[in-house]
Amino acid sequence: MAAGLFEGQYVWHPAADDRVLASVCVDVRAGRYLSARDALAETRGDAGLRAHRSLVLASEAADSDLVERWLAEEPGAEAALLWARVAVLRALRAADARDPRTEALERIALAACDRAASADPADPTPWVAKLAMARLHRLRDQAPRGLLTAPAGPWRLFAHVLSLDPWHREAHHRFLACFFTRHGGSVTAAWDVAAFLGQRAPADSPLRLLPLVALVECYDPTQLLADRVWEQPQWTSTALAIHEQWLPAVAEYRFTPVLDLAYLGHALVMARREEEARAVFTRMGPYASRMPWCVFGDPAEQLSRARRACGLPVPAV
């Protein structure tokens, strides 16, 4: 289904309109890895697509032994990469569940990331996978100049990723997450890092959305007029600038960036800029993500509420 078309139901699968990836997910669930190998090999040289596909495939493979079989039967850069992604996902799930196996799973994940990085030294994805675990270890490198609060964090690991790909989307989001309060950070640190990273990104980069991500993360419904924050001039102007500078570039993407569009659409609706939000939701088509909607209630209900505000159709009850 093409983005921009809405046929009455939301599509929640993270593959969105990457039809190759959606097909491979079916194979992975059936225990077949050859199409995954080909789909990942196709992404060499496209770090954004490689990160996206490997992350989605890891979520499909994490509960099976597919990557272990693949690595044993046909070792290579793609097998090593998916193994790293799966191992990190398992370690993070275990940590969040306070599973006693967490420490062992972390060691496996770090070794898997190192193996994948050795298999393809130019690929930033294994390092991004390792960065995803940085929140578990509370790395405390000194922050560079330019940040008001100078929060300590995994700056050296992040800098290495940027040396391979300076505007890697997932790397920036993983790094920012290390400063969220739920991961041991603080509201002020999250604001500071989001502003620092967003301001240094190109005007047409999705990284300009990072302050809007932090705004959702720091949302506190108990505060007075919490839902009116997005109407403040600084946030309205931020969302409108992203709408003007970044949204036109989405037409050239190889897959619809659903999550980024969702954050932008949400911010515009909250800022009462329904006309601009309508263009964002039209670009999203039927594709949906849980974030940021789940922060405010049931994701489907919140998304439908936003679409109605823009005069767009929603699924029939």
Side-chain angles (χ1 to χ4, degrees), residues 12-313:
W12 296 93
H13 197 281
D17 56 349
D18 185 340
R19 295 181 179 179
V20 170
L21 179 57
S23 176
V24 174
C25 286
V26 175
D27 283 348
V28 168
R29 287 194 294 271
R32 300 186 293 267
Y33 62 76
L34 292 180
S35 63
R37 178 200 62 193
D38 295 342
L40 289 177
E42 179 189 325
T43 66
R44 292 186 183 183
D46 187 335
L49 186 61
R50 192 169 180 83
H52 172 64
R53 284 186 175 177
S54 60
L55 186 60
V56 173
L57 290 175
S59 69
E60 298 286 356
D63 295 325
S64 71
D65 66 348
L66 179 137
V67 288
E68 288 88 348
R69 288 192 293 105
W70 181 5
L71 205 59
E73 295 171 5
E74 192 179 323
E78 276 64 49
L81 175 60
L82 195 58
W83 168 228
R85 286 293 215 177
V86 165
V88 167
L89 182 56
R90 290 171 179 168
L92 291 173
R93 285 177 177 176
D96 291 341
R98 301 187 182 277
D99 190 311
R101 300 171 298 168
T102 297
E103 186 175 343
L105 290 172
E106 286 183 41
R107 288 196 299 269
I108 293 171
L110 290 172
C113 290
D114 289 340
R115 177 172 179 169
S118 297
D120 188 353
D123 183 8
T125 322
W127 297 97
V128 175
K130 185 178 287 191
L131 186 59
M133 289 199 300
R135 65 178 174 84
L136 303 181
H137 304 289
R138 303 300 304 152
L139 300 179
R140 309 291 293 175
D141 305 330
Q142 184 176 354
R145 294 180 179 179
L147 287 93
L148 294 175
T149 60
W155 291 96
R156 283 183 289 183
L157 178 56
F158 183 53
H160 181 73
V161 177
L162 300 191
S163 72
L164 299 173
D165 183 354
W167 309 118
H168 197 286
R169 181 200 173 279
E170 186 187 341
H172 282 74
H173 282 265
R174 295 292 190 184
F175 182 69
L176 176 59
C178 293
F179 301 94
F180 291 163
T181 55
R182 58 190 166 98
H183 295 152
S186 67
V187 170
T188 54
W191 286 125
D192 201 6
V193 172
F196 176 76
L197 297 179
Q199 289 168 4
R200 64 187 290 275
D204 62 350
S205 169
L207 298 178
R208 289 279 177 161
L209 284 153
L210 289 171
L212 299 182
V213 173
L215 190 60
V216 171
E217 181 65 29
C218 298
Y219 172 73
D220 181 357
T222 65
Q223 291 186 344
L224 184 65
L225 301 177
D227 290 344
R228 304 293 295 272
V229 171
W230 284 264
E231 296 179 44
Q232 295 178 5
Q234 70 180 100
W235 299 118
T236 299
S237 61
T238 295
L240 289 174
I242 296 167
H243 175 273
E244 180 181 352
Q245 300 288 338
W246 172 68
L247 185 61
V250 172
E252 305 300 322
Y253 281 36
R254 292 186 64 178
F255 62 92
T256 300
V258 179
L259 185 58
D260 290 331
L261 289 168
Y263 273 102
L264 178 56
H266 169 265
L268 289 168
V269 168
M270 296 293 281
R272 302 181 186 275
R273 299 302 299 246
E274 288 85 0
E275 181 178 351
E276 290 85 357
R278 182 185 178 95
V280 176
F281 292 127
T282 299
R283 174 62 65 182
M284 284 173 62
Y287 303 106
S289 60
R290 291 188 70 255
M291 289 291 289
W293 314 108
C294 65
V295 173
F296 305 88
D298 177 79
E301 291 178 2
Q302 294 296 315
L303 175 54
S304 292
R305 179 181 178 184
R307 287 179 62 92
R308 286 193 197 97
C310 301
L312 292 171

